[in-house]
Amino acid sequence: MTHVENLVGSRGVSEEWPAWTPSSLIERLADTGITAAWSHQVVAADLAYTGNNVIIATGTASGKSLAFLLPCAAAVTDGGTVLYLAPTKALAADQLRALEELLPSPMVAASYDGDTPGPDRAWIRSNADYVLTNPDMLHRAILGRHTAWSSFLRRLRYVVIDEAHHYRGVFGSHVAQIIRRLRRVCERHHGRPTFILASATTAEPAESASRLTGLPVRAVTADASPRGALSFAMIEPELTDQVGEKGAPLRRTATAEAADLLAGLVAEKVRTLAFVRSRQGAEIVALSAQRALRDGKAHELARSVAAYRAGYLAADRRQLERDLRSGELMGLAATNALELGVDITGLDAVLVTGWPGTLASLWQQAGRAGRGGSDAFAAFIARDDPLDTYLVHHPEAVFGRSVESTVLDPDNPYVLGPHLCAAASELPLTEADLPVFGPAAEAVLADLVDRKLLRKRPRGWFWARRDRACDLADIRGSGGPPVQIVDTDTGQLLGTVDEAAAHGTVHEGAVYLHQGQAHVVDTLDLDEGVALVRAADPEYSTWARDVTEIEIIATEREQDWGDQATVYFGDVRVTRQVVAYLKRDVRTGAVLGERPLELPERVLRSRAVWWTVGQEIEERLRGEGVELRGAAHAAEHAAIGLLPLFATCDRWDIGGVSTALHADTGRLTVFVYDGHEGGAGFAERGYAAARAWLTATQEAIATCECLDGCPSCIQSPKCGNGNEPLSKAGALRLLEEVLARA
């Protein structure tokens, strides 16, 4: 443990129920033991009841659901309807369970998602007062059939957007345009709903909510709920005797550390939730913890540990949630599918395995511990990664900072264009509609007409094709239709993976885990959209590698740091190709070998931040014996690792390229780009925070205890060049020269 932060608890501040609260709801709440509201719940509910769009941005387990339920129940009692949006089916299902206990009869709440049977959908449209769905379903199944929803939309009083901080980057930008389409359709049916957003604590919540909805929003941020004390530990796994690429020292893996901690806590009857970054990681942590318990004195508790991740059948996920709530499960290794507001009470401890992408997510996950108001324990376990290493040695970057604001760009033309097409197919677009979609709408419409996707007529713009316009918008950024994963021995469909992710996760030879069973991929057929796998028991995991080339399309902004260093922001064209994969020992993380792959190139038009140095710096560094390619390459890897500290992103949302001589700049150049079509706002944040970002990058490299570079500072698991060449000392000198002029 490098640090333990003790966060004190607090007593709650309660108030009487608002005078307009339905008496039937007050009675049902009393039956569950809730006899008063916290003051922030009353403030938010009153704002919404009086017609103000509002965002409730308070801590985990602060009662945000009750804050929006109060005005929603009043609306339903008065004959209105409510539309609730959640980013996941699990959260919507959990909300429905709570609503069924609280909403008085004959009011009807119903979930409307991809699992809803066809015959039930028409009944829900006609009879439900409170419909729970997700942005995907709203985009594909509701807005295009808005005439069938006319009665519901005409009476729509509130739109609840839960876990609003989840809508960031390209996904958030898509959801922002879906909400604008919803507002337009509601207007056609004479419905003018008020928007209520619930979010984890976030910087500038009113501004973020306004960008998401396109409307003025008021924020409630003072959290009046009671909170138990929390002991929060920062943990760095120890260095091992194992060595990785180029002889670099390896730490014990974060998943191995998490598995041991999970097993130890469960053995002491401490109910624990371990968050793990990947589906495969969650499976490995659960299996390893079960094995440790079976081999120890608490072998009877091995069955009380399980994994939870996307890809399981809905019924299986709901059963795991019930078992965790009831206490039948003492330990769960989960992906961030359980980060969101699913009501899991009674947890004693949370393990966060690897940086979750944002401070908001870190506190959302840690807040799962002690949800009943009791004291709790949380731990952050660092991966072998520059950012994780930086954080465990700089706890002030976690405990001394406000959380990030949400980054989204609804005006991204790659996002806006498909939604204008979808809007035109729902109702012909008119000049009066353009302000709803933002200042870029007119220029994008002209391009859509040129591409013959829309027709311009005197009455407006019309969808020009016979297929479904909503299919143009890939709102979760999957990049194409999903690839089905099929067991060749049984013919069973095990799951699906996005086409873009398939190149790196189900390539030939990849290890794929499903419900504790390992499989090896025999064939990936991208044309047919299928990966054929067979059950196996390999002692290794696999990591895909790609190579990347980048071309500057346009420079939008630049800042000179003296006459020898310049930072730029603009549009780029990125060509990527998965070329090989590594085999790593599942216990030690040591590299066992590398295998080549032949997969097609993927082309991405995106946005990037890049920096260059002049000839004077290059000559001085060469004179000191610095190998410029290795210095730039090492600085690029570390900068990618540290950018999530300054932008609301994950390391895997961004990519990078470095070269000692780039064709477009004629100089040593280091690029970091958004890994999403059209950009996602992350590189732009990097440009705005360039000095602080590169200063933290230099410090992370300098303070790493390795001699020549390791995964904790300059090595990257996805480097297409096999982490060659890399120069730790060179990167430090290069960054020193750049920052001396900043």
Side-chain angles (χ1 to χ4, degrees):
M1 286 192 296
T2 60
H3 179 79
V4 177
E5 189 82 6
N6 292 306
L7 305 172
V8 298
S10 61
R11 298 178 63 125
V13 179
S14 62
E15 291 189 20
E16 296 294 325
W17 300 112
W20 45 262
T21 307
S23 57
S24 56
L25 177 61
I26 293 175
E27 291 169 3
R28 291 190 173 228
L29 287 168
D31 290 342
T32 65
I34 301 173
T35 57
W38 306 120
S39 62
H40 68 277
Q41 294 172 325
V42 174
V43 171
D46 275 332
L47 283 170
Y49 185 77
T50 54
N52 296 280
N53 303 305
V54 61
I55 180 169
I56 314 153
T58 54
T60 309
S62 59
K64 293 185 285 287
S65 296
L66 182 56
F68 62 69
L69 177 60
L70 294 175
C72 290
V76 172
T77 302
D78 197 35
T81 59
V82 174
L83 182 67
Y84 169 94
L85 294 177
T88 65
K89 294 179 185 177
L91 179 54
D94 188 72
Q95 282 288 318
L96 178 60
R97 180 183 59 81
L99 283 170
E100 288 174 340
E101 296 176 1
L102 294 174
L103 277 183
S105 179
M107 301 175 194
V108 177
S111 180
Y112 193 89
D113 58 30
D115 296 330
T116 305
D120 293 351
R121 296 187 180 190
W123 186 90
I124 291 171
R125 285 195 298 270
S126 300
N127 296 280
D129 306 299
Y130 200 123
V131 172
L132 302 96
T133 188
N134 51 62
D136 314 73
M137 205 68 178
L138 181 60
H139 166 60
R140 292 187 169 275
I142 295 177
L143 292 176
R145 302 199 63 200
H146 62 89
T147 54
W149 288 84
S150 60
S151 174
F152 181 90
L153 294 173
R154 185 173 59 254
R155 296 180 293 126
L156 186 59
R157 290 276 302 278
Y158 293 107
V159 176
V160 177
I161 303 174
D162 207 354
E163 303 292 350
H165 65 282
H166 191 75
Y167 300 118
R168 60 182 178 86
V170 170
F171 177 48
S173 302
H174 277 293
V175 173
Q177 289 298 345
I178 293 169
I179 292 169
R180 284 154 175 76
R181 286 163 49 202
L182 172 64
R183 287 171 46 208
R184 177 172 172 262
V185 163
C186 287
E187 185 76 25
R188 174 58 62 94
H189 294 283
H190 308 291
R192 293 176 179 81
T194 295
F195 285 80
I196 309 174
L197 299 91
S199 170
T201 50
T202 178
E204 303 173 339
E207 291 82 352
S208 298
S210 183
R211 282 196 299 272
L212 185 62
T213 61
L215 297 166
V217 179
R218 296 179 64 175
V220 174
T221 58
D223 189 342
S225 62
R227 193 161 302 277
L230 177 69
S231 296
F232 201 133
M234 308 291 279
I235 296 174
E236 183 177 39
E238 296 178 350
L239 286 170
T240 68
D241 295 331
Q242 301 289 328
V243 295
E245 292 180 288
K246 317 305 174 190
L250 289 179
R251 294 190 181 278
R252 190 162 189 252
T253 64
T255 50
E257 193 81 22
D260 277 1
L261 280 170
L262 178 60
L265 288 163
V266 168
E268 296 294 331
K269 304 293 181 65
V270 176
R271 293 180 62 192
T272 306
L273 176 60
F275 284 105
V276 190
R277 295 295 308 280
S278 67
R279 297 181 183 186
Q280 178 171 292
E283 297 275 7
I284 290 172
V285 168
L287 286 170
S288 299
Q290 290 167 358
R291 187 183 302 117
L293 286 165
R294 279 196 300 269
D295 294 343
K297 295 180 180 179
H299 54 84
E300 74 283 356
L301 292 173
R303 295 171 63 97
S304 70
V305 174
Y308 180 104
R309 63 170 177 81
Y312 287 173
L313 296 176
D316 293 338
R317 292 197 302 271
R318 299 297 90 77
Q319 186 61 52
L320 287 167
E321 293 161 18
R322 286 192 293 270
D323 290 346
L324 189 60
R325 275 193 293 267
S326 70
E328 185 171 335
L329 280 179
M330 292 293 296
L332 196 66
T335 60
N336 65 356
L338 270 183
E339 172 188 323
L340 305 177
V342 178
D343 184 19
I344 305 295
T345 58
L347 293 179
D348 304 306
V350 164
L351 309 175
V352 182
T353 313
W355 180 245
T358 65
L359 275 170
S361 288
L362 180 74
W363 289 114
Q364 189 79 351
Q365 292 181 4
R368 290 301 196 165
R371 284 175 71 91
S374 59
D375 294 351
F377 169 73
F380 168 70
I381 305 169
R383 292 171 303 159
D384 231 357
D385 175 271
L387 177 56
D388 289 30
T389 302
Y390 180 86
L391 292 173
V392 293
H393 292 286
H394 295 82
E396 71 278 2
V398 172
F399 300 108
R401 292 180 64 216
S402 60
V403 297
E404 312 88 346
S405 57
T406 305
V407 179
L408 64 148
D409 179 16
D411 296 326
N412 179 339
Y414 293 90
V415 171
L416 177 56
H419 289 286
L420 288 173
C421 289
S425 73
E426 292 153 8
L427 293 165
L429 281 164
T430 67
E431 293 280 353
D433 292 323
L434 299 191
V436 174
F437 293 98
E442 190 167 358
V444 173
L445 279 171
D447 177 64
L448 295 172
V449 172
D450 290 342
R451 292 163 55 195
K452 301 189 184 324
L453 292 169
L454 296 181
R455 289 194 185 97
K456 179 70 167 68
R457 294 288 184 265
R459 291 192 298 117
W461 291 266
F462 291 74
W463 174 236
R465 290 163 44 169
R466 293 188 176 183
D467 49 349
R468 298 200 326 157
C470 64
D471 291 339
L472 294 175
D474 180 16
I475 75 170
R476 303 227 180 219
S478 61
V483 171
Q484 296 187 318
I485 302 166
V486 178
D487 188 321
T488 53
D489 294 330
T490 66
Q492 180 186 2
L493 175 64
L494 299 181
T496 62
V497 64
D498 298 334
E499 192 272 339
H503 291 231
T505 56
V506 290
H507 54 75
E508 184 177 324
V511 174
Y512 174 78
L513 289 177
H514 180 75
Q515 293 187 348
Q517 173 63 58
H519 298 77
V520 173
V521 180
D522 288 326
T523 305
L524 171 60
D525 189 331
L526 292 171
D527 293 331
E528 295 296 327
V530 64
L532 301 177
V533 306
R534 55 182 168 79
D537 189 21
E539 294 295 320
Y540 59 86
S541 59
T542 52
W543 290 80
R545 278 186 158 160
D546 60 23
V547 294
T548 306
E549 295 182 357
I550 194 164
E551 172 189 358
I552 298 172
I553 303 299
T555 300
E556 185 174 313
R557 279 173 252 161
E558 63 182 80
Q559 46 183 299
D560 291 324
W561 293 355
D563 60 351
Q564 287 291 304
T566 309
V567 182
Y568 302 88
F569 171 72
D571 298 329
V572 294
R573 183 178 185 270
V574 182
T575 303
R576 297 177 296 176
Q577 184 178 23
V578 174
V579 295
Y581 68 95
L582 296 178
K583 292 183 175 182
R584 292 183 181 270
D585 187 288
V586 293
R587 294 181 180 273
T588 67
V591 176
L592 304 176
E594 183 173 347
R595 300 287 187 276
L597 291 169
E598 293 185 9
L599 288 165
E601 292 181 341
R602 299 183 63 86
V603 177
L604 175 74
R605 176 77 177 259
S606 189
R607 315 195 89 189
V609 53
W610 64 95
W611 49 273
T612 66
V613 298
Q615 187 175 356
E616 180 183 314
I617 291 178
E618 291 185 19
E619 290 176 353
R620 180 159 49 252
L621 293 177
R622 283 196 187 95
E624 297 174 9
V626 172
E627 203 284 299
L628 293 180
R629 286 194 311 145
H633 195 194
E636 171 218 327
H637 282 181
I640 290 172
L642 267 293
L643 182 56
L645 195 60
F646 300 90
T648 311
C649 71
D650 183 273
R651 178 175 182 152
W652 300 93
D653 288 327
I654 52 181
V657 176
S658 58
T659 174
L661 180 64
H662 191 269
D664 294 332
T665 66
R667 291 182 166 191
L668 180 152
T669 310
V670 176
F671 294 86
V672 177
Y673 62 87
D674 293 341
H676 299 272
E677 194 72 30
F682 308 138
E684 188 170 11
R685 282 293 179 96
Y687 175 84
R691 287 176 176 82
W693 170 33
L694 294 183
T695 298
T697 299
Q698 181 192 37
E699 189 172 351
I701 300 172
T703 56
C704 184
E705 60 190 293
C706 72
L707 186 62
D708 297 316
C710 70
S712 294
C713 57
I714 63 172
Q715 289 190 352
S716 169
K718 60 177 184 174
C719 178
N721 295 319
N723 285 300
E724 180 70 29
L726 289 176
S727 170
K728 179 177 179 177
L732 286 171
R733 279 292 294 121
L734 175 60
L735 288 165
E736 182 182 346
E737 287 285 347
V738 170
L739 289 166
R741 292 156 172 79

